[in-house]
Amino acid sequence: MVMDIQLASLFASGALIVIGLFAAIFIDNIIKKVIGIAFIEEGVNLFLICLGYKAGGVVPIYLPGMTADWFAANSAYPLPQALVLTSIVIGASTLAVMLALAMVLYRKHGTLSTKEILGDEK
Amino acid sequence: MIEYIIIIVAVISAIIALLQEDLLKAAILVGISGFCVAVLFQLLLAPDVALTQAIVEGAIVPVFIALAVYKTNKGGA
Amino acid sequence: MNYLIPLLVVIPILSALIVNIFDGKDKTVKAISLVLGILVPIIAICATVGVQYFGGHNPSLLTSSLPANLVNTLVAGYNTGIVYAFANIERIFIFLMGIVAFLAILTYFSEKKEVSGPYLYLIFMGLASVIALLLSEDIFNMYVFFEITALTQVGIIVASSTEDNYEIALKYLILGAIGGPMLLLGIGFILGTIGSVNIADIIFVISNKFVQPYSPGLVIGFALILFGWLYSAGLPPFHTIKSAVYSKARPNGSAILQGFSVLCMLAFGIAMYKIFAYIPYFNTAIIVFAILAMVLGVAMSAMEVDFRRMIAFLAVGELGFIALGFGIGTQMSIAAALFQAANEIVITAMLFIGFGSVYYLTNTSDTRKLGGLIGIDSKMAIMVLLGGWALAGVPPFNGFQSKLMLVQAALDAGYTELAILAIIVSVVIFFTFVKAFHNVYLQPKPSELKFVHDKIPKVTVFAVAILLIICLVLGICPNIVTDVFIPFAGGLI
């Protein structure tokens, strides 16, 4: 094997961020823009989790029978995992607000196209 | 080996979701991609994040998107 | 142990939840939000300076319980919990923001018979999150509150029921949903390089050269955090959407929204300055965006005929002055930037509420259709004029003091061009404002102008008067705040 799982996941997170950015900027349909934003968030979360990974390590849960020194030397870094838990929830709530706004705007304009909805303001 | 398959499925389903004409299918593909990332979290030694991700991105977000698609289809036509 | 520091965040969140529960019972909601709203500035005055370690994670106390092989390492000094630091500078900004929020809530009550619980919920939640942004010493915690602020700003626009507010809200949210993850990615790069998200730890590690200061991770992290900062502050390229956001909210809502932006900008600006000031092109990057904000904001405001959009662009232009102070990067210029930020919160809130009374009276904000309003309420007209002078930097108001400080700092640092640019921009602001004032208040009243309300509520006049008094006090005795800002700026460098 050439790549280990950490490097491969970093590439995957980069790919998800780029795909999501492309969709959020260039695709016209609002729902697809929202899907793209969901991918950006997923990619960033994956990036953060990759930072804490330790090849050959253990899950950062302190079980009976482990000594503190062995645990500190072998567990994955738990701080990014704690951060990602919060960030997943924030991402989901932002997404829900965006979809709600998209639904309201659909009722008003009768279309999901960003150009037609946002074009005639100002 | 399994991790490469999962990574490839996650990225490919993300791309297909954005190329898809039918938005309901896109919502399901978002769920597949989210679930693959959840499995990846498990492999990257983050089991509790994997649980949250599987529930939120694998189930709740696709349901939100599908609901929005359903609502926006019915009202205008 | 100082329990008042966490209370500064807890009380707004608590009041947000309570007013939301009591939605529908107008009197209860009004009483609760007024009492709890005035509590925030009072606590800001009473709280003593200190540091709050959440969860008892005080590193100096925890050292004894660490495993033996960690005691003398770098990790032993790391902060493992969220840390809130409260100093005199936070006291000033939280006090001013609390007063502005309180007065905005007061004017909201006077202009509407029925009050909406969810709207007040959003205001209080936003207040809590910007206070937490200022207090927090932890960049991830700042990211969380940054997202909450963005969501509450969107909520305030959606709740304002003005024309096209949903479109602007969606646009702002989509940009925010790109800016937020970029900020988080930047935080991720810093976390990956250094292993901590606490600002004090990051500074410690970088200044002692435990990591390579110019490592790609840190530089990319800086670029991504700069992007998030530009979004949160509404500097170019986000100035159009930010000013649209201000002009789509109700007047009291825009007064609060601009305060949120200033505080977001300040919190991230200070954090960025603390962490990245050693990067050589840091100053250049910030000065470029500051100049763009000043020139574009003022130029676009001069072309506007809608006075709410005009003030919104002026507010963005004023943000450029703050960024300019950070960009020049001397002790006096940073102190001037902080002083300018404090002034901007008060002055712009006052102009939004004051000019908002015109919208309240006539339900239009197009300066071509307005005129002769000085006959309705001359007191308000004079106060708005004085507020505009304060914005443009006419003595004896606070805007003059802070701009004088900024221009002097720019001259001392050798940036003569920037000093001249700042003066020119101030003059343009003055003319733009006087033109709008003439159109709205002094020119003869157009015959087709109709009034929806007969007179301005007394509470609105009172709110504007209070803000004007704060402007005047800060203008005559700037020492009250500059005595705090100058040592703080000295500590940053």
Side-chain angles (χ1 to χ4, degrees):
Chain A
M1 283 295 138
V2 204
M3 267 194 247
D4 64 338
I5 178 169
Q6 190 178 16
L7 194 58
S9 313
L10 278 176
F11 276 119
S13 81
L16 281 175
I17 293 173
V18 170
I19 293 168
L21 271 179
F22 180 84
I25 295 170
F26 293 111
I27 292 188
D28 192 41
N29 189 310
I30 292 186
I31 305 265
K32 284 206 177 159
K33 259 193 206 295
V34 173
I35 291 175
I37 286 163
F39 286 144
I40 300 179
E41 275 153 5
E42 228 171 81
V44 173
N45 291 341
L46 188 55
F47 174 77
L48 281 173
I49 291 287
C50 283
L51 296 176
Y53 177 73
K54 185 168 203 147
V58 293
V59 169
I61 297 172
Y62 191 69
L63 296 171
M66 294 176 178
T67 61
D69 287 348
W70 184 86
F71 180 72
N74 282 300
S75 78
Y77 190 37
L79 179 62
Q81 306 187 359
L83 306 188
V84 167
L85 278 181
T86 320
S87 136
I88 288 176
V89 177
I90 291 177
S93 49
T94 316
L95 201 92
V97 176
M98 267 190 285
L99 287 173
L101 280 174
M103 275 151 70
V104 172
L105 286 176
Y106 181 78
R107 223 171 284 159
K108 190 172 155 192
H109 294 268
T111 169
L112 279 176
S113 157
T114 330
K115 264 185 206 133
E116 285 179 43
I117 293 176
L118 300 182
D120 51 301
E121 50 94 23
K122 269 186 219 174
Chain B
M1 197 55 218
I2 178 99
E3 58 259 26
Y4 301 106
I5 298 170
I6 287 167
I7 287 171
I8 290 165
V9 171
V11 174
I12 299 270
S13 61
I15 294 172
I16 298 177
L18 294 171
L19 297 177
Q20 196 63 248
E21 284 294 312
D22 186 354
L23 288 172
L24 272 177
K25 278 182 195 158
I28 293 164
L29 284 163
V30 171
I32 293 174
S33 169
F35 197 78
C36 287
V37 173
V39 177
L40 210 53
F41 284 169
Q42 172 72 36
L43 295 173
L44 288 166
L45 304 177
D48 35 2
V49 184
L51 276 178
T52 320
Q53 169 83 9
I55 295 167
V56 174
E57 301 266 326
I60 295 178
V61 166
V63 169
F64 279 172
I65 295 174
L67 263 179
V69 172
Y70 178 69
K71 287 274 180 190
T72 46
N73 270 338
K74 222 173 76 177
Chain C
M1 187 60 70
N2 189 345
Y3 290 105
L4 288 177
I5 297 173
L7 272 188
L8 276 173
V9 180
V10 170
I11 288 208
I13 293 184
L14 199 67
S15 35
L17 296 176
I18 294 175
V19 291
N20 201 15
I21 290 170
F22 284 106
D23 180 31
K25 294 174 185 147
D26 288 350
K27 278 199 177 135
T28 330
V29 170
K30 278 185 184 178
I32 291 171
S33 45
L34 287 182
V35 170
L36 290 176
I38 198 72
L39 262 182
V40 174
I42 290 176
I43 294 177
I45 292 180
C46 297
T48 46
V49 171
V51 177
Q52 164 80 22
Y53 298 98
F54 280 91
H57 287 292
N58 187 342
S60 58
L61 299 179
L62 285 176
T63 326
S64 54
S65 60
L66 282 175
N69 58 346
L70 288 180
V71 170
N72 283 322
T73 58
L74 190 59
V75 183
Y78 271 15
N79 288 296
T80 44
I82 292 170
V83 180
Y84 278 5
F86 181 78
N88 281 324
I89 165 171
E90 277 92 4
R91 189 199 304 281
I92 291 169
F93 283 109
I94 293 172
F95 174 76
L96 290 177
M97 189 66 226
I99 289 282
V100 166
F102 177 74
L103 292 174
I105 291 171
L106 209 62
T107 45
Y108 169 62
F109 288 161
S110 73
E111 286 172 10
K112 285 250 168 180
K113 273 278 172 334
E114 299 133 22
V115 295
S116 144
Y119 185 68
L120 288 166
Y121 167 87
L122 290 166
I123 289 179
F124 276 120
M125 207 63 200
L127 186 62
S129 54
V130 285
I131 290 175
L133 260 176
L134 269 183
L135 290 175
S136 182
E137 275 283 287
D138 183 317
I139 42 177
F140 183 76
N141 200 245
M142 287 170 77
Y143 161 75
V144 172
F145 284 110
F146 161 87
E147 288 277 6
I148 298 175
T149 317
L151 277 181
T152 51
Q153 285 176 327
V154 168
I156 288 176
I157 315 162
V158 167
S160 292
S161 62
T162 44
E163 200 188 338
D164 280 348
N165 57 344
Y166 289 106
E167 285 84 345
I168 295 294
L170 183 71
K171 215 172 167 186
Y172 187 66
L173 196 55
I174 288 177
L175 285 174
I178 298 172
M182 288 302 122
L183 185 68
L184 183 59
L185 198 61
I187 292 170
F189 272 106
I190 292 177
L191 175 64
T193 322
I194 286 169
S196 171
V197 285
N198 189 283
I199 293 175
D201 293 346
I202 296 171
I203 297 166
F204 179 76
V205 171
I206 293 179
S207 60
N208 287 304
K209 301 229 166 32
F210 290 115
V211 295
Q212 183 54 247
Y214 297 108
S215 69
L218 286 176
V219 176
I220 295 172
F222 163 64
L224 290 169
I225 290 181
L226 182 72
F227 183 81
W229 181 66
L230 293 178
Y231 165 74
S232 71
L235 294 175
F238 298 106
H239 59 290
T240 354
I241 179 69
K242 200 72 173 187
S243 55
V245 161
Y246 293 157
S247 59
K248 290 302 172 204
R250 289 197 196 110
N252 52 60
S254 2
I256 291 179
L257 287 179
Q258 62 84 24
F260 287 176
S261 310
V262 173
L263 289 191
C264 269
M265 174 183 190
L266 208 63
F268 278 104
I270 291 174
M272 277 198 336
Y273 196 87
K274 278 180 180 168
I275 299 174
F276 295 115
Y278 68 90
I279 295 182
Y281 39 82
F282 176 85
N283 290 12
T284 322
I286 292 190
I287 286 179
V288 166
F289 285 112
I291 292 174
L292 280 177
M294 280 158 67
V295 173
L296 286 177
V298 173
M300 290 174 97
S301 81
M303 291 185 295
E304 278 299 331
V305 287
D306 181 330
F307 67 79
R308 289 193 298 174
R309 287 205 69 123
M310 190 204 84
I311 304 172
F313 275 119
L314 284 183
V316 173
E318 291 285 302
L319 284 174
F321 281 91
I322 307 174
L324 188 65
F326 274 108
I328 291 172
T330 60
Q331 182 180 2
M332 285 311 277
S333 78
I334 293 176
L338 296 169
F339 190 16
Q340 173 73 24
N343 295 341
E344 157 128 27
I345 293 176
V346 179
I347 299 173
T348 321
M350 175 183 159
L351 286 182
F352 272 124
I353 296 177
F355 257 135
S357 68
V358 175
Y359 184 74
Y360 173 79
L361 286 175
T362 61
N363 223 352
T364 174
S365 57
D366 191 336
T367 46
R368 288 169 302 189
K369 292 180 191 155
L370 289 166
L373 287 172
I374 199 160
I376 307 290
D377 196 330
S378 52
K379 266 183 293 182
M380 184 58 114
I382 289 169
M383 285 196 291
V384 168
L385 181 63
L386 293 180
W389 285 0
L391 185 78
V394 174
F397 293 100
N398 52 357
F400 168 70
Q401 297 285 0
S402 62
K403 281 181 180 161
L404 184 68
M405 225 167 133
L406 189 61
V407 168
Q408 272 175 349
L411 286 175
D412 287 345
Y415 292 106
T416 322
E417 315 82 348
L418 292 182
I420 294 169
L421 181 72
I423 294 170
I424 292 174
V425 169
S426 301
V427 171
V428 178
I429 289 177
F430 181 80
F431 281 117
T432 312
F433 185 82
V434 169
K435 191 183 118 217
F437 182 82
H438 174 262
N439 283 349
V440 173
Y441 285 102
L442 298 180
Q443 74 179 5
K445 193 174 139 216
S447 49
E448 68 268 30
L449 185 65
K450 287 203 180 65
F451 289 95
V452 250
H453 292 92
D454 290 337
K455 60 181 203 307
I456 302 167
K458 282 213 172 62
V459 181
T460 312
V461 182
F462 168 75
V464 174
I466 295 271
L467 291 172
L468 188 65
I469 288 169
I470 296 178
C471 285
L472 211 56
V473 168
L474 285 181
I476 293 169
C477 339
N479 290 357
I480 308 172
V481 289
T482 48
D483 283 354
V484 176
F485 291 152
I486 293 174
F488 176 81
L492 274 183
I493 293 169

